[in-house]
Structures are given as structure tokens and as C-alpha cells.
Amino acid sequence: MSIPLASLESIPTCYATVSIGTPDTPLDQKLEAIAGAGFQGIELGFPDLLSFASKRRNEQVQPQDFDTLCDVGREVQQLVEKNGLKVVMLQPFSNFEGWEQGSAGRDDAFRRAKGWIRIMQAVGTDMLQVGSTDSPHALGSLDYLASDLGQLADLLAPHKFRLAYENWCWATHAPLWKDVWEIVRKVDRPNVGLCLDTYQTAGGEWADPTTDSGLIEREGGKEALQRQFQTSLEIMARTIPKEKIYILQISDAYKPRTPLDPNPDKDGLRPRARWSSCLRPIPFDGGYLPVVEVTQAVLKTGFRGWFSMEVFDGGPDGSDQDWKDLKGYAKKAMASHNRLLQEAADS
């Protein structure tokens, strides 16, 4: 399928609130910068909601104080609308699926799900991002994972809410796009689709932050890796129906200056999770992933829905930045979005 540039002009633009400033940066400043750069929507990050609520209440609001979060969430909705934006998605809902029956983790997962649904109502969004679980306690059967997600979809359905399932490339059982797509097919609900991500796709199948080259090292070298990755993208473009892609998240990655330790850190974070947390810039700003190629594969499905900048840019050394110019950074992100569309188009 060809990708005419004219067909990309109507793609709506989104920016994740967790991808500009820090959780301590006032939410109104983040929204002003995002709107001022021309973005149309936001992914509302749960850390930003918690921070906003804590400032409003002058105390530390807890993640499961859903009454307070819903009250404050209605204020957030008004603030978003004041800036001419919409809340496209609430994120990131993590470690939901795979808990053993009767476990405390499973009880907590469903309690959180019901609370987050209330928050979705309060902030005025219809989409929940669910990342593929990275819990070491998650059971590995794809049928079991799909059953859990089906139950979550059924909780969302009466509200006409959707579930956008994303492969986190460090996940315990579903780190690749093929894994989450297989699970979504097994779930087989009209309100369950995919949140695809340029970083998660290329970072899981092409790049490796633990090697000197920054690439997955296998027999046949870089050429074999490139062929295998290209085949994966061709399969994606051929097999995923466009209506089953709900959103595409955009980011690149810096090659770590020294390879990351392949073992989990003291907090249990795997190397790709550590890489993700602070070494993900906007495209064309120092990263090395094949972001254009992943974007082309998604566009070849016919998808023309939300493109969302979700970056975690701590600079090339991951030490964070001063965030003195939020508006300038947001405008740079919009310029990156426009360049990405131009480079992804083939006519």
C-alpha cells in the first residue's frame, strides 16, 4: 500500500503529559505548551493527575484514593478543554493481567481497574492504555492473559470505553507487537485494540541497550537482523486491520553511552525498561532507531488515527534536563511530527 503525503494531512496529533517537564511541573503549564505547539489532544499520565491532585489538596494523594482523584479529575477536564485540547487516553495502566486466581495481586488489579474507569469518566476520555505486564508473577499462558483482558474490556464496555493494549518491550510474556496482537485476537472484543509504539517495536526487535553496537546481536550480523526486522514490519502492515490500531506512540531512543547491565537492577527493572525511562527523545534528535520504517509499516495498514508523542528525554546521558523552555520543546516535537510524516510518505 502506498503512503501519499496528502493522506497524512488529517492525522490528529497528541502529546503525553508525562513527556514534557516533570511530575512537579504544573499541569497548566504543560497543557499550555502542548496546545501552543498545535497538538490537538493529550495522553493524561497518571503521575500528572496524582501531582495535580496533591497540589490541589495540599497533601500527598494516594494512587487508590479514587474519590479525590475523580473530584480533581473533573477540574483537569475543564483545564484541558480551556486549552482547546481533549484527553485522548489515560495511561499507563500496568500489571493488570496474569495474576493467579484468588491472589492479592489479582484483587488489587481489578480494584484498580474499577477506580481507573471512574477516573476516565471524570476526565472525559474513552480510552485506557494497558501495557503488557512486566510482573514476574504473571502466568504465561496467552489464553489466560487474554481472558483477564476480556474481563477488563467487559468492565469498560458499558461506558463505551476502549482498551488500547501495548507491548512493552521488557514485558514478561508479551514484549513484541506480534504477542499483543495475538492476545487481542484471542480477546475478540470490539472495544479492544492496539497501542503501537515506535520505540517498543524497534526497541524489542532491532535494538539492544546491553550490547556495544546497540543492536540485537545474532548470527548473520546486522544484515540478517535488518532482514528479519523488515519481514516483521511487512507482516504487521499485512495482517493488522487498521480499525484495530487505536493510537501510535512516537519516540526514538539514544544509544546508551555504555551498554546497560543485562540483569535487572535493585528495583527489578530490566534493561529495556531502564532504557525506556530516560533515553527516549523525539525522532531526529539524536536517537538511532528506525522510527520512519516502523511508522511506514503502521501507515501501510491504512491507519490514519492518533499520532502521539510519548518521549522520556533525559538527554543522551539520561541525567534529565532543566525543562526551562516547555513551549520550545513542544514546538520542536511538532516539527519532528511533521518531518516524520514527510519522510514516511512515498508519494
Side-chain angles (χ1 to χ4, degrees), residues 80-329:
V80 169
E81 291 177 350
K82 178 183 175 183
N83 282 276
L85 298 165
K86 69 172 291 184
V87 182
V88 176
M89 183 165 71
L90 180 65
Q91 62 106 319
F93 193 60
S94 60
N95 290 337
F96 172 78
E97 73 277 26
W99 294 99
E100 188 174 355
Q101 294 287 336
S103 66
R106 185 176 184 82
D107 290 343
D108 175 71
F110 278 87
R111 182 168 54 250
R112 287 187 292 117
K114 292 171 183 175
W116 279 51
I117 289 171
R118 291 177 57 199
I119 293 171
M120 291 174 70
Q121 292 174 294
V123 301
T125 188
D126 70 346
M127 188 155 61
L128 178 67
Q129 181 210 51
V130 179
S132 55
T133 182
D134 61 356
S135 169
H137 305 293
L139 302 179
S141 162
L142 295 190
D143 288 327
Y144 190 80
L145 300 175
S147 175
D148 283 352
L149 292 168
Q151 292 179 61
L152 177 55
D154 293 343
L155 291 174
L156 292 163
H159 308 283
K160 295 183 169 46
F161 290 167
R162 297 177 295 161
L163 187 166
Y165 194 41
E166 178 182 12
N167 61 296
W168 285 352
C169 61
W170 59 89
T172 309
H173 303 298
L176 306 179
W177 74 261
K178 292 177 184 176
D179 302 322
V180 291
W181 173 229
E182 179 63 21
I183 291 170
V184 166
R185 291 177 62 222
K186 288 177 178 292
V187 173
D188 193 23
R189 299 289 200 285
N191 64 331
V192 178
L194 295 172
C195 169
L196 294 177
D197 185 305
T198 59
Y199 165 80
Q200 305 293 358
T201 300
E205 294 186 57
W206 185 85
D208 184 345
T210 69
T211 66
D212 289 328
S213 66
L215 304 177
I216 295 173
E217 296 181 350
R218 54 171 55 116
E219 187 176 351
K222 185 175 180 179
E223 289 186 3
L225 172 67
Q226 189 62 36
R227 284 195 302 271
Q228 184 171 356
F229 185 59
Q230 189 59 43
T231 297
S232 175
L233 294 181
E234 290 170 359
I235 294 170
M236 174 193 287
R238 249 189 354 254
T239 59
I240 302 179
K242 62 183 180 181
E243 63 272 12
K244 278 298 185 180
I245 303 173
Y246 289 168
I247 191 168
L248 174 65
Q249 293 178 322
I250 308 292
S251 68
D252 204 334
Y254 299 113
K255 180 178 176 292
R257 289 178 171 174
T258 57
L260 302 186
D261 186 331
N263 299 303
D265 67 8
K266 59 182 176 57
D267 297 317
L269 287 177
R270 297 163 184 152
R272 283 185 170 90
R274 303 196 302 273
W275 188 32
S276 173
S277 67
C278 59
L279 289 167
R280 287 172 58 179
I282 60 175
F284 317 113
D285 198 35
Y288 74 111
L289 298 184
V291 174
V292 173
E293 289 85 346
V294 177
T295 302
Q296 288 174 322
V298 175
L299 290 171
K300 285 178 181 178
T301 68
F303 173 75
R304 297 295 185 271
W306 289 99
F307 269 40
S308 183
M309 283 286 173
E310 191 210 29
V311 302
F312 300 97
D313 189 354
D317 62 359
S319 61
D320 213 347
Q321 50 185 294
D322 56 27
W323 292 109
K324 289 180 179 178
D325 186 11
L326 297 182
K327 292 181 179 180
Y329 192 89

Side-chain angles (χ1 to χ4, degrees), residues 17 26-28 30-31 42-54 56-57 68-90 119-125:
T17 61
L27 183 59
D28 59 343
K30 293 188 176 195
L31 297 178
I42 63 163
E43 297 181 43
L44 179 60
F46 193 72
D48 286 313
L49 178 62
L50 271 179
S51 175
F52 185 81
S54 297
R56 279 289 190 270
R57 292 295 190 263
T68 298
L69 291 171
C70 287
D71 285 343
V72 173
R74 284 182 275 274
E75 294 184 49
V76 171
Q77 182 186 27
Q78 294 173 0
L79 191 59
V80 169
E81 291 177 350
K82 178 183 175 183
N83 282 276
L85 298 165
K86 69 172 291 184
V87 182
V88 176
M89 183 165 71
L90 180 65
I119 293 171
M120 291 174 70
Q121 292 174 294
V123 301
T125 188

Side-chain angles (χ1 to χ4, degrees), residues 3-22:
I3 309 172
L5 182 59
S7 75
L8 310 182
E9 293 174 354
S10 62
I11 286 177
T13 55
C14 181
Y15 199 107
T17 61
V18 292
S19 296
I20 190 165
T22 72

